[in-house]
Amino acid sequence: GQNIDQPTEMTATEGAIVQINCTYQTSGFNGLFWYQQHAGEAPTFLSYNVLDGLEEKGRFSSFLSRSKGYSYLLLKELQMKDSASYLCAVRAPANQAGTALIFGKGTTLSVSS
Amino acid sequence: GAVVSQHPSRVICKSGTSVKIECRSLDFQATTMFWYRQFPKQSLMLMATSNEGSKATYEQGVEKDKFLINHASLTLSTLTVTSAHPEDSSFYICSANPRVVFNGYTFGSGTRLTVV
């Protein structure tokens, strides 16, 4: 089975740093994805980790520990526009093009001034 | 590149009628597409995997006779919600993997279905 956990809500202030954690227990693993979703819109891709370690991409970084079933998304220099839902998703092994992403419930981040 | 076009973006239909949602990959071929449903303030729930030229694979609890999926070409998958009821009102969204791994899976813009 698949179980992906993330906090439901988080708040932060402009300019701050926030870390959104994700733990997963899945039958097989072939990559972890982070997406950003604004209300009523499609998710947009943020990051992808398949090996342990940190991937940095501008203000966003994502970390993965496969042995611990753990990932986090780090957002630096927060801006008001970063207020959105952040979705952690895991892909099972096998055919990469034919395997869906399984999403966690998402973390709603509210950034205040 | 790697764009998935989804139509319509919004639809309101009467209870008991059917609604068709289209998803097209514009600049790549998608032998597989994925259909998700999202209720307000909840995450994306996988409904089914659409396979070009063969039957779709449905997730547990999803009625295949109610949610008809057709994937007749390498660039088009359709989801038809048959005999829609108010509880089917939701945000439906499709996705495909263009195999450009650093761009992740691409999502359509979603369809907001309201059944009255």
Side-chain angles (χ1 to χ4, degrees), chain B residues 29-70:
Chain B
Q29 294 183 334
T31 54
T32 304
M33 287 192 179
F34 310 101
W35 287 96
Y36 292 86
R37 178 168 53 182
Q38 185 176 35
F39 292 107
K41 297 190 178 182
Q42 296 188 25
S43 191
L44 284 77
M45 296 298 297
L46 179 66
M47 298 176 66
T49 300
S50 166
N51 303 297
E52 187 267 335
S54 64
K55 291 182 179 180
T57 305
Y58 290 82
E59 295 300 300
Q60 193 172 10
V62 178
E63 300 174 59
K64 61 180 181 181
D65 294 331
K66 180 171 183 61
F67 299 98
L68 300 179
I69 290 174
N70 184 279

Coordinates of all heavy atoms in Angstrom, one line a residue, chain B residues 29-70:
Chain B
Q29 N 4.2 12.5 -27.6 CA 3.2 11.4 -27.7 C 3.1 10.8 -26.3 O 4.1 10.5 -25.6 CB 3.7 10.3 -28.7 CG 3.7 10.8 -30.1 CD 4.1 9.8 -31.1 OE1 4.8 8.9 -30.7 NE2 3.6 9.9 -32.3
A30 N 1.9 10.5 -25.9 CA 1.6 10.0 -24.5 C 0.9 8.7 -24.7 O -0.3 8.6 -24.9 CB 0.8 11.0 -23.7
T31 N 1.7 7.6 -24.5 CA 1.0 6.3 -24.6 C 0.2 6.0 -23.3 O -0.7 5.2 -23.3 CB 2.1 5.2 -24.7 OG1 3.0 5.3 -23.6 CG2 2.8 5.2 -26.0
T32 N 0.5 6.8 -22.3 CA -0.2 6.6 -21.0 C -0.5 8.0 -20.5 O 0.3 8.9 -20.5 CB 0.7 5.9 -20.0 OG1 1.1 4.7 -20.5 CG2 -0.1 5.7 -18.7
M33 N -1.8 8.1 -20.0 CA -2.2 9.4 -19.3 C -2.9 9.0 -18.0 O -3.4 7.8 -17.9 CB -3.1 10.2 -20.2 CG -2.5 10.9 -21.3 SD -3.6 12.1 -22.1 CE -2.5 12.8 -23.3
F34 N -2.9 9.9 -17.1 CA -3.4 9.6 -15.8 C -4.5 10.6 -15.5 O -4.4 11.8 -15.8 CB -2.3 9.7 -14.7 CG -1.1 8.9 -15.0 CD1 0.0 9.6 -15.5 CD2 -1.0 7.6 -14.8 CE1 1.2 8.8 -15.9 CE2 0.1 6.8 -15.2 CZ 1.2 7.5 -15.7
W35 N -5.6 10.1 -14.9 CA -6.7 10.9 -14.5 C -6.9 11.0 -13.0 O -6.9 9.9 -12.3 CB -8.0 10.4 -15.1 CG -8.1 10.6 -16.6 CD1 -7.7 9.7 -17.6 CD2 -8.5 11.8 -17.3 NE1 -7.9 10.3 -18.9 CE2 -8.4 11.6 -18.7 CE3 -9.0 13.0 -16.8 CZ2 -8.8 12.5 -19.6 CZ3 -9.4 14.0 -17.8 CH2 -9.3 13.7 -19.2
Y36 N -7.0 12.2 -12.5 CA -7.1 12.5 -11.1 C -8.4 13.2 -10.8 O -8.9 13.9 -11.7 CB -5.9 13.3 -10.6 CG -4.6 12.6 -10.6 CD1 -3.8 12.6 -11.7 CD2 -4.1 12.0 -9.5 CE1 -2.5 12.0 -11.8 CE2 -2.8 11.4 -9.5 CZ -2.0 11.4 -10.6 OH -0.8 10.8 -10.6
R37 N -8.8 13.1 -9.6 CA -10.0 13.9 -9.1 C -9.5 14.6 -7.8 O -8.8 14.0 -7.0 CB -11.2 13.0 -8.9 CG -12.4 13.7 -8.3 CD -13.6 12.7 -8.4 NE -13.4 11.5 -7.7 CZ -14.2 10.5 -7.7 NH1 -15.4 10.6 -8.3 NH2 -13.9 9.3 -7.1
Q38 N -10.0 15.8 -7.7 CA -9.6 16.6 -6.5 C -10.8 17.3 -5.9 O -11.4 18.2 -6.6 CB -8.5 17.6 -6.8 CG -7.9 18.3 -5.6 CD -6.8 19.3 -6.0 OE1 -6.8 19.8 -7.1 NE2 -5.8 19.4 -5.1
F39 N -11.2 16.9 -4.7 CA -12.3 17.6 -4.0 C -11.7 18.8 -3.3 O -10.5 18.9 -3.0 CB -13.0 16.7 -3.1 CG -13.7 15.6 -3.8 CD1 -13.3 14.3 -3.8 CD2 -14.9 15.9 -4.5 CE1 -14.0 13.3 -4.5 CE2 -15.6 14.9 -5.1 CZ -15.2 13.6 -5.2
P40 N -12.5 19.8 -2.9 CA -12.0 21.0 -2.3 C -11.2 20.8 -1.1 O -11.5 20.0 -0.2 CB -13.3 21.8 -1.9 CG -14.3 21.3 -2.9 CD -14.0 19.8 -3.2
K41 N -10.0 21.4 -1.1 CA -9.1 21.4 0.0 C -8.5 20.0 0.2 O -8.1 19.7 1.3 CB -9.7 22.0 1.3 CG -10.0 23.4 1.1 CD -10.4 24.1 2.5 CE -10.7 25.5 2.3 NZ -11.0 26.2 3.5
Q42 N -8.6 19.1 -0.8 CA -8.0 17.8 -0.6 C -7.0 17.6 -1.8 O -6.9 18.4 -2.7 CB -9.1 16.7 -0.7 CG -10.1 16.8 0.4 CD -11.0 15.6 0.4 OE1 -10.7 14.5 -0.1 NE2 -12.2 15.8 1.0
S43 N -6.2 16.6 -1.7 CA -5.2 16.3 -2.6 C -5.7 15.6 -3.9 O -6.9 15.3 -3.9 CB -4.0 15.6 -2.0 OG -2.9 15.6 -2.9
L44 N -4.8 15.4 -4.8 CA -5.2 14.7 -6.0 C -5.3 13.2 -5.8 O -4.4 12.5 -5.3 CB -4.2 14.9 -7.1 CG -4.2 16.3 -7.8 CD1 -3.6 17.3 -6.9 CD2 -3.5 16.2 -9.2
M45 N -6.5 12.6 -6.1 CA -6.7 11.2 -6.0 C -6.6 10.5 -7.4 O -7.4 10.9 -8.2 CB -8.0 10.9 -5.3 CG -8.1 11.4 -3.9 SD -6.8 10.6 -2.8 CE -7.3 8.9 -2.8
L46 N -5.8 9.6 -7.6 CA -5.7 8.9 -8.8 C -6.9 8.1 -9.1 O -7.3 7.3 -8.2 CB -4.4 8.0 -8.9 CG -4.2 7.2 -10.2 CD1 -3.9 8.1 -11.3 CD2 -3.1 6.2 -10.0
M47 N -7.6 8.3 -10.3 CA -8.8 7.6 -10.6 C -8.4 6.4 -11.5 O -8.9 5.3 -11.3 CB -9.8 8.5 -11.4 CG -10.3 9.6 -10.6 SD -11.3 10.7 -11.6 CE -12.7 9.6 -11.9
A48 N -7.6 6.7 -12.5 CA -7.3 5.6 -13.5 C -6.1 6.0 -14.4 O -5.7 7.1 -14.5 CB -8.6 5.4 -14.4
T49 N -5.6 4.9 -14.9 CA -4.5 5.1 -15.9 C -5.0 4.7 -17.3 O -5.5 3.6 -17.5 CB -3.3 4.2 -15.5 OG1 -2.8 4.5 -14.2 CG2 -2.1 4.3 -16.5
S50 N -4.8 5.7 -18.2 CA -5.4 5.5 -19.5 C -4.2 5.0 -20.5 O -3.2 5.6 -20.5 CB -5.9 6.9 -20.0 OG -6.1 6.9 -21.4
N51 N -4.5 3.9 -21.2 CA -3.4 3.3 -22.0 C -3.9 3.4 -23.5 O -5.0 2.9 -23.8 CB -3.2 1.9 -21.6 CG -2.8 1.8 -20.2 OD1 -1.7 2.3 -19.7 ND2 -3.6 1.1 -19.4
E52 N -3.1 3.9 -24.3 CA -3.4 4.0 -25.8 C -3.6 2.6 -26.4 O -2.7 1.7 -26.2 CB -2.3 4.8 -26.5 CG -2.6 5.1 -27.9 CD -2.1 4.0 -28.9 OE1 -1.1 3.3 -28.5 OE2 -2.7 3.9 -30.0
G53 N -4.7 2.4 -26.9 CA -5.0 1.2 -27.6 C -5.5 0.0 -26.8 O -5.6 -1.1 -27.3
S54 N -5.6 0.2 -25.5 CA -6.1 -0.8 -24.6 C -6.9 -0.3 -23.5 O -7.1 0.9 -23.4 CB -4.9 -1.6 -24.0 OG -4.1 -0.7 -23.2
K55 N -7.4 -1.2 -22.7 CA -8.3 -0.7 -21.6 C -7.6 0.0 -20.5 O -6.4 -0.2 -20.2 CB -9.0 -2.0 -21.0 CG -10.0 -2.7 -21.9 CD -10.6 -3.9 -21.2 CE -11.6 -4.6 -22.1 NZ -12.2 -5.7 -21.4
A56 N -8.3 1.0 -19.9 CA -7.8 1.7 -18.8 C -7.7 0.9 -17.6 O -8.4 -0.1 -17.4 CB -8.7 2.9 -18.6
T57 N -6.8 1.2 -16.7 CA -6.7 0.6 -15.4 C -7.3 1.5 -14.3 O -6.8 2.6 -14.2 CB -5.2 0.3 -15.1 OG1 -4.6 -0.5 -16.1 CG2 -5.1 -0.5 -13.8
Y58 N -8.3 1.0 -13.6 CA -9.0 1.8 -12.6 C -8.4 1.6 -11.2 O -8.2 0.4 -10.9 CB -10.5 1.6 -12.7 CG -11.1 2.1 -14.0 CD1 -11.1 1.4 -15.2 CD2 -11.7 3.4 -14.0 CE1 -11.6 1.9 -16.3 CE2 -12.3 3.9 -15.1 CZ -12.3 3.2 -16.3 OH -12.8 3.7 -17.4
E59 N -8.4 2.6 -10.4 CA -8.0 2.4 -9.0 C -9.2 1.8 -8.2 O -10.4 1.9 -8.7 CB -7.6 3.7 -8.4 CG -6.4 4.3 -9.0 CD -5.2 3.4 -8.9 OE1 -4.8 3.1 -7.7 OE2 -4.6 3.0 -9.9
Q60 N -8.9 1.2 -7.1 CA -9.9 0.6 -6.3 C -11.0 1.6 -5.9 O -10.6 2.7 -5.5 CB -9.3 0.0 -5.1 CG -10.2 -0.9 -4.3 CD -9.4 -1.7 -3.2 OE1 -8.3 -1.4 -2.9 NE2 -10.1 -2.6 -2.6
G61 N -12.2 1.3 -6.1 CA -13.3 2.2 -5.7 C -13.8 3.1 -6.7 O -14.8 3.8 -6.6
V62 N -13.2 3.1 -7.9 CA -13.6 3.9 -9.0 C -14.4 3.1 -10.0 O -13.9 2.1 -10.5 CB -12.4 4.6 -9.7 CG1 -12.8 5.4 -10.9 CG2 -11.6 5.4 -8.8
E63 N -15.7 3.5 -10.2 CA -16.5 2.7 -11.1 C -16.2 2.9 -12.6 O -16.4 4.0 -13.1 CB -18.0 3.2 -10.9 CG -18.5 3.0 -9.5 CD -19.9 3.6 -9.3 OE1 -20.8 3.1 -10.0 OE2 -20.0 4.5 -8.5
K64 N -15.7 1.8 -13.2 CA -15.3 2.0 -14.6 C -16.5 2.2 -15.5 O -16.3 2.8 -16.6 CB -14.5 0.7 -15.0 CG -15.3 -0.6 -15.0 CD -14.4 -1.7 -15.4 CE -15.2 -3.0 -15.4 NZ -14.4 -4.2 -15.8
D65 N -17.7 1.8 -15.2 CA -18.9 2.0 -16.0 C -19.4 3.4 -15.9 O -20.1 3.9 -16.7 CB -20.0 1.0 -15.7 CG -19.6 -0.4 -16.0 OD1 -18.8 -0.6 -16.9 OD2 -20.1 -1.3 -15.3
K66 N -19.0 4.1 -14.8 CA -19.4 5.5 -14.6 C -18.4 6.5 -15.2 O -18.8 7.5 -15.8 CB -19.6 5.8 -13.2 CG -20.1 7.2 -12.9 CD -20.4 7.4 -11.4 CE -20.9 8.8 -11.2 NZ -22.2 9.1 -12.0
F67 N -17.2 6.1 -15.1 CA -16.1 7.0 -15.6 C -15.4 6.3 -16.8 O -14.5 5.5 -16.6 CB -15.1 7.3 -14.5 CG -15.7 8.0 -13.3 CD1 -16.0 7.4 -12.2 CD2 -15.9 9.4 -13.4 CE1 -16.6 8.0 -11.1 CE2 -16.4 10.1 -12.3 CZ -16.8 9.4 -11.2
L68 N -15.9 6.6 -18.0 CA -15.5 5.9 -19.2 C -14.2 6.6 -19.7 O -14.2 7.8 -19.9 CB -16.6 5.9 -20.2 CG -17.9 5.2 -19.8 CD1 -18.9 5.3 -21.0 CD2 -17.6 3.7 -19.4
I69 N -13.2 5.8 -19.9 CA -11.9 6.4 -20.4 C -11.6 5.8 -21.8 O -11.7 4.6 -22.0 CB -10.8 6.1 -19.5 CG1 -11.0 7.0 -18.2 CG2 -9.4 6.4 -20.1 CD1 -10.0 6.7 -17.1
N70 N -11.3 6.7 -22.7 CA -10.9 6.2 -24.1 C -9.6 6.9 -24.5 O -9.4 8.1 -24.3 CB -12.0 6.6 -25.1 CG -11.7 6.1 -26.5 OD1 -10.9 6.7 -27.2 ND2 -12.3 5.0 -26.8

